[in-house]
Amino acid sequence: MNTATITTEVLNDLVQINNDRIAGYEKARTELKDADADLKSLFLDMISESQKYKMALGTEIAALGEDIDTGTTNSGKIYRAWMDVKALFTGHDRKTVLNNCEGGEDAAQSAYKMALEVEDLPANIRTLISEQKASLRTSHDEIKRLRDAQV
């Protein structure tokens, strides 16, 4: 495969991870109680963050003359289905929602790490992916901190 094809595949994988993240946080917002307005607001910020990243990735895909993927990953669909099943048994409390969200953040970190392990990525793409990964790490750590603060 040529470098442009490999780069497009990596970028589209990350678009799908961000689509998963958006869908996951939208789902998480519906599971929260009205009293959890702070988390609903935080999750909106994280949805916005992923939409911004998706746009940046899409711009690079378009520059390569390719189309952006619009779907989510199979693992993301499985993850959301697991959240649905788990919620049936555990309820919709803050700690459960945050725990599920941390799992999604772990998956995003893993995807970005794998993307950075791909050889022959152009330097500008590698920089973009590294910057997004670092920012997503901050979001992961915030979710983890909030989860750990729950009794």
Side-chain angles (χ1 to χ4, degrees), residues 28-44:
R29 289 186 81 241
T30 67
E31 292 184 0
L32 292 168
K33 296 175 178 66
D34 290 340
D36 296 316
D38 60 326
L39 289 185
K40 287 184 177 194
S41 176
L42 175 65
F43 293 172
L44 269 181

Side-chain angles (χ1 to χ4, degrees), residues 16-17 22 24 30 37 61 64 68 72 80 83-84 90 93 100 105 109 114 125:
Q16 290 182 356
I17 288 297
I22 291 165
T30 67
I61 293 166
L64 292 166
I68 188 170
T72 57
R80 286 189 301 281
M83 277 182 72
D84 290 343
T90 59
D93 63 277
N100 290 339
E105 292 296 331
Q109 282 297 305
M114 288 189 296
I125 300 296

Side-chain angles (χ1 to χ4, degrees), residues 61-149:
I61 293 166
L64 292 166
E66 299 295 331
D67 294 325
I68 188 170
D69 282 351
T70 57
T72 57
T73 64
N74 286 334
S75 61
K77 290 174 186 167
I78 292 167
Y79 170 73
R80 286 189 301 281
W82 171 242
M83 277 182 72
D84 290 343
V85 171
K86 195 171 181 182
L88 291 173
F89 295 105
T90 59
H92 305 285
D93 63 277
R94 285 175 68 97
K95 186 167 187 167
T96 300
V97 170
L98 287 165
N99 197 45
N100 290 339
C101 290
E102 186 187 2
E105 292 296 331
D106 288 342
Q109 282 297 305
S110 178
Y112 272 81
K113 179 180 182 284
M114 288 189 296
L116 289 170
E117 291 170 355
V118 172
E119 294 181 21
D120 300 327
L121 286 178
N124 66 314
I125 300 296
R126 189 170 298 282
T127 299
L128 174 68
I129 293 170
S130 293
E131 289 171 354
Q132 287 188 3
K133 182 182 185 302
S135 181
L136 288 169
R137 183 66 199 191
T138 301
S139 295
H140 169 277
D141 292 348
E142 176 68 4
I143 293 293
K144 184 178 184 321
R145 182 189 67 74
L146 288 167
R147 195 256 350 252
D148 291 346

Side-chain angles (χ1 to χ4, degrees), residues 7-8 10-19 50-64 68 112 125 128-129 132 136:
T7 301
T8 299
V10 168
L11 292 172
N12 268 317
D13 284 348
L14 295 178
V15 165
Q16 290 182 356
I17 288 297
N18 279 286
N19 286 340
S50 275
Q51 289 168 334
K52 180 177 82 171
Y53 293 162
K54 203 171 94 166
M55 291 287 290
L57 296 165
T59 298
E60 295 299 333
I61 293 166
L64 292 166
I68 188 170
Y112 272 81
I125 300 296
L128 174 68
I129 293 170
Q132 287 188 3
L136 288 169

